[in-house]
Amino acid sequence: MSANGGRERILRAALELIARDGFDGVRIADIAQLAGASTALVHYHFSNRAQLLTASLAQSLSAAEARLERRAGGKQRSSPPERFADLIDFGLPLTRDDVMEWRLWSELEMRAAGSPELARSLAALNDRIMQPLSATVAAGLDEGVFHDCDPDEVATLALALLTGLATRIVAGDQALPLSDARRLAGRQLALAVGFSGELPFQPLPSQPAPALATDAPAAPPDGPARRRRAPRNSSRP
């Protein structure tokens, strides 16, 4: 196993286990077993579990960004209203991968208050999400399709709104279906940017992501079989 290949497998294993069992329920030995690596190799790449958590979430976010670009690029959705609608979808758990990312995010948020290192990582990841929102709003203002708003304020508002809605969806709140959450977010954020009409969303997936309260993720490709573990309730990428 190459050094880079080993690191990627470790990150994938950490992402799946932390998303399923929570940060406190995962041992380095568990991650090493699922990744098909030694504990020494895990410690070689990551000096502590906090570093492993933030690196796993950063990798998950990169994968989600790539999915967003593929989904939007294939349909030539480049206008500010289309881009804004797609970024709203990016902030909601539409797929199983999205649910896993939100669970990792929840772990990071819970620990950031007591760790300056994790707080800096959370701030950097939040900024990474808000930058394209702010840039899209600014483009809409330049083109005259958005009106009377501050791009950075809208990005901050969007992150807060989408985080709250996604937390309820991932927790399995039956009073808030994904379609209703998206409609609410679209309506309120369209108002925030002064857009007349409804934002041009793409169709929702035919089978929206489940809350996954008891659903264990599959092992990475070519990875070893995982042991069954007691399911653990968690929320929130």
Side-chain angles (χ1 to χ4, degrees), residues 13-178:
L15 189 158
E16 293 199 15
L17 288 176
I18 295 170
R20 189 190 69 185
D21 296 329
F23 192 62
D24 292 332
V26 176
R27 301 174 304 160
I28 294 295
D30 298 327
I31 296 169
Q33 181 184 27
L34 183 58
S38 66
T39 56
L41 185 61
V42 177
H43 286 295
Y44 171 79
H45 287 293
F46 306 98
S47 59
N48 54 55
R49 291 202 307 159
Q51 186 181 84
L52 190 53
L53 170 61
T54 55
S56 297
L57 187 50
Q59 173 161 300
S60 177
L61 183 54
S62 294
E65 289 168 340
R67 292 195 302 273
L68 171 67
E69 293 306 318
R70 287 196 300 271
R71 186 166 184 253
K75 298 181 181 296
Q76 301 301 314
R77 291 171 59 83
S78 58
S79 72
E82 290 171 333
R83 180 71 173 169
F84 196 49
D86 289 343
L87 287 169
I88 291 172
D89 275 352
F90 180 69
L92 294 172
L94 306 187
T95 68
R96 194 172 186 280
D97 287 336
D98 296 337
V99 171
M100 289 180 63
E101 182 183 319
W102 276 97
R103 288 186 166 190
L104 261 72
W105 211 279
S106 178
E107 294 290 337
L108 180 56
E109 287 178 333
M110 285 190 297
R111 285 159 178 77
S115 168
E117 177 186 357
L118 291 181
R120 287 191 296 270
S121 297
L122 177 61
L125 290 169
N126 280 334
D127 185 61
R128 184 170 159 184
I129 290 174
M130 290 192 293
Q131 282 181 356
L133 282 162
S134 180
T136 299
V137 174
L141 289 170
D142 289 342
E143 293 186 18
V145 293
F146 296 160
H147 308 279
D148 301 323
C149 62
D150 179 274
D152 291 340
E153 288 184 1
V154 172
T156 299
L157 173 65
L159 181 63
L161 175 60
L162 295 170
T163 296
L165 293 173
T167 298
R168 290 181 60 184
I169 293 168
V170 173
D173 188 340
Q174 297 300 309
L176 186 70
L178 175 60

